[in-house]
Structures are given as C-alpha cells and as structure tokens.
Amino acid sequence: MTLSRRNILLGGGALAAATSPAAAQAPLNVGFILIGPVGDFGWSTMHDQGRRRMLEVLGDRVRATQVEAVAPPDFDRVATQLVRTGSRLIFTTSFSYFQATQRVAAQNPNVFWESATGTATARNLAIYNARFYEGRYVQGVIAARKSRSKTIGYVASFPVPEVIHAINTVMRGAWSVDPQMRIRVVWAGAWFNPGREADAARALIDQGCDVICQHTDSPAPLQLAEQRGNVFGFGQASDMTRFAPRAHLTSSVNNWGDYYVARARAVLDGSWQPSDTWGGLDSGMFRLAPFTNMTPEEASEAERIRDALAAGTLHPFEGPITRQDGTSVIPAGQRLTDDQIRAQNYFYQGIEVQMP
C-alpha cells in the first residue's frame, strides 16, 4: 500500500481495521516514509523497490504502508499516524527526517525505528546508509578523464555532511588524475525538484562545466546534459542510462531490499538490535551501473578503481587532506575516521563555492 500525504488518514482507516483485536496475530506492519514521490526514478524509487523486495521475500509475514512525498514539516503527523494504525517497524528514508525521527522514537518506545542516514542510534532507533562516497570517487576519476574544460559541475541539494563529503570525494577522485581539476557547485535547495535541478545544471554548463554530477533525485540534470550535447553526466540512485544515452557515464544504483528483509525478519524473530550500518561497494547496498560513453581504456580504469575501493586497497580519505583555506585536516599517513567523514563541514581545495 502506497499513500500520498493527502490520503494518509484514509489509508489509516484501512490499517486500523487490519490491526484490530480480531487481527491480533496479524503480520508485522512495516511503515515507510519517503521524502520524494515513488516515481522520482532515483532515491525514493529505489526505497520503494526495497519495500517490494521485502514483501516478496517475507510474504504474508509482513504488510507495508508507504507514504510518499512527505515534506519535513509534515513528518510528525505522518509518523504518528503510522504508529496509531499499527506499524511496529518504521523506515524514515531521509537525513532531513533524522532529528524528527529521534524525537518520535523517544515518544514511541515500543516501535522500532530505522533512519536512512543519521549520526546516532538509540534503544529503539537504528541508522543505515551506504558508502556512496566510494562511487563518487570513481565519478571524480571518470570526470577528470572526460572533461575538456577541467571543470566539473555539481548539482547539490542541501549543505549537510552527507552531501559535503560526497562533493569532497568527487574532488579527491578528480585530483588523483589531474590536480588542475575544479568543481563548481549550485545548491538546488531540494532533494527532488526537477525544475530547480535542471536550472542548476543549466547554470553550471553555462559557466563552462562539461561534466555534471548530482546529489538530487530526479534525472533532470542528466537530461539537460543530454540536450546540450558535448556534456556528460552521472545518474543518481538508479541506473539512469535511458534518460541520457549519449551523455550518461555511470550511476550509483541503490539496493535497500536485502536490508529491509533482514531488519523486518529481525523484528519477527525477536533479534532486532539498534545498529549503525554503513555498507560499501563490497556490501551489495549499492553498485555502479555499466560504464558508458567511454573508451575501453577509460572504462578499464574505472573498473580498476571501483574494484580497489571494494577490496579496501584504496580509500578516498587518505591524507594529506587540505581545506579550501589551505589549513591541514590530516597529514600524509593518516586516514579520516567514519565519525570525521560524517561530520565534514568544510570543502577541500579546488572546490569553487563557499559554505552557505
């Protein structure tokens, strides 16, 4: 069952019936709150596919209610309604919900909560994410090979640590090929807004960027690259090759299904524990789509970098790391810890935008 935020109350009536005393032995009811529409072809589409995979594997042991396109100010109302109508496990699928998820988890201690990205767990709250920055590093290497202007454009959503360290990682990958590379950033101010995303990509291309990266959820930036010609781009969250067959280079392809199956099964068998999951390329939580519009040599190099990241023989956050203002973060021989990566609130040298 997928509900819009407008008909959550109507959907709740159906849930109430499903969790009545007569259905005391009913299957586990699992709630999903999505930041974008199921049809965004990116982040929310892939969470929906994960939900479908959970239903396929666990069958009649679970039921699911999903509410899509929930703006952060509407989160508490939607989450509370899911609890009232019987959801015992609720996935909240955006960092924009994290603080609110912490609050409602404390208010509802008998419900298991899972936040897609976050910085802390609690007795009934787990966090999960994928190390998408590994894919960003590969994107940086590819972008440096493809760019003629030596300038990468980055369509960003919000200046939160997850987005900041992603931009930094693209820079690290690009500089591993050519220290003359630069990144320009335009903030879209939204996770999903195709019009703003396209406008941001247009502004970057007009400034001379000829490879477009994005940390927003629709294919709009990639489609604009396709329309302009002689501009390349990367997809976000799903394989977006079909949206830009001449411009697409690769995409990060998210896979939440196995995680959702495991966490729902843990609630069913009583083994659920709060956990902090952050899976890399070796975990299966995401992969890179086929490399397209590259020479065999470029594709071979991208595969080699991808495989080294998955094997742990290459790490994007090895020192030396230097901020925009020239101050050192860590020297050569050191590596940022996971907590330091998650807390990044600064840009590296070579990134031509100030922190908002």
Side-chain angles (χ1 to χ4, degrees), residues 76-301:
D76 283 43
R77 180 184 68 80
V78 172
T80 300
Q81 187 66 18
L82 287 173
V83 172
R84 287 176 177 170
T85 52
S87 291
R88 291 178 51 216
L89 170 64
I90 299 177
F91 293 95
T92 66
T93 64
S94 174
F95 185 80
S96 294
Y97 299 148
F98 180 61
Q99 290 186 346
T101 300
Q102 288 181 299
R103 183 173 61 251
V104 296
Q107 294 167 351
N108 298 277
N110 295 322
V111 175
F112 300 102
W113 299 84
E114 301 259 358
S115 176
T117 76
T119 55
T121 63
R123 188 188 65 80
N124 62 331
L125 170 61
I127 56 177
Y128 64 103
N129 196 2
R131 296 182 186 271
F132 298 119
Y133 63 77
E134 294 178 346
R136 304 281 183 191
Y137 187 92
V138 179
Q139 290 183 13
V141 172
I142 296 170
R145 295 296 184 196
K146 303 300 290 187
S147 177
R148 300 170 303 282
S149 66
K150 298 186 182 299
T151 309
I152 302 167
Y154 203 109
V155 179
S157 49
F158 299 100
V160 298
E162 176 186 342
V163 176
I164 292 167
H165 75 238
I167 298 170
N168 284 338
T169 315
V170 170
M171 186 80 268
R172 296 283 289 182
W175 270 23
S176 74
V177 175
D178 183 353
Q180 300 301 311
M181 292 298 299
R182 295 289 183 270
I183 294 179
R184 291 181 176 172
V185 179
V186 171
W187 301 99
W191 295 107
F192 175 78
N193 187 317
R196 285 193 207 170
E197 295 172 58
D199 286 344
R202 185 176 296 106
L204 290 164
I205 294 171
D206 288 346
Q207 293 172 36
C209 301
D210 55 4
V211 180
I212 301 297
C213 299
Q214 66 177 91
H215 208 132
T216 52
D217 297 339
S218 87
L222 191 57
Q223 289 173 308
L224 192 77
E226 177 84 0
Q227 293 168 13
R228 285 296 186 93
N230 296 319
V231 177
F232 294 102
F234 299 97
Q236 168 79 355
S238 70
D239 185 348
M240 293 185 172
T241 307
R242 66 188 186 281
F243 295 105
R246 296 185 306 276
H248 176 267
L249 295 168
T250 189
S251 304
S252 288
V253 182
N254 304 351
N255 171 27
W256 304 111
D258 294 343
Y259 183 82
Y260 290 156
V261 169
R263 300 304 281 171
R265 185 176 280 145
V267 173
L268 288 165
D269 66 21
S271 64
W272 190 96
Q273 294 289 329
S275 57
D276 176 357
T277 301
W278 204 11
L281 280 165
D282 63 335
S283 72
M285 293 186 81
F286 80 106
R287 63 180 174 84
L288 294 180
F291 300 116
T292 53
N293 296 303
M294 300 182 199
T295 66
E297 292 77 16
E298 291 166 345
S300 178
E301 180 182 35

Side-chain angles (χ1 to χ4, degrees), residues 6-51:
R6 292 183 177 178
N7 64 12
I8 178 65
L9 293 177
L10 178 62
L15 261 180
T19 55
S20 66
Q25 301 303 316
L28 172 68
N29 214 334
V30 184
F32 291 83
I33 303 177
L34 305 184
I35 191 73
V38 167
D40 69 1
F41 301 108
W43 180 260
S44 292
T45 294
M46 299 310 287
H47 282 287
D48 180 57
Q49 290 193 14
R51 176 189 67 89

Side-chain angles (χ1 to χ4, degrees), residues 319-333:
I321 292 177
T322 307
R323 297 178 187 236
Q324 277 178 321
D325 63 5
T327 60
S328 173
V329 179
I330 54 172

Side-chain angles (χ1 to χ4, degrees), residues 134 280-283 304-315:
E134 294 178 346
L281 280 165
D282 63 335
S283 72
R304 178 176 57 78
I305 298 296
R306 177 201 61 197
D307 294 346
L309 289 161
T313 56
L314 173 64
H315 195 287

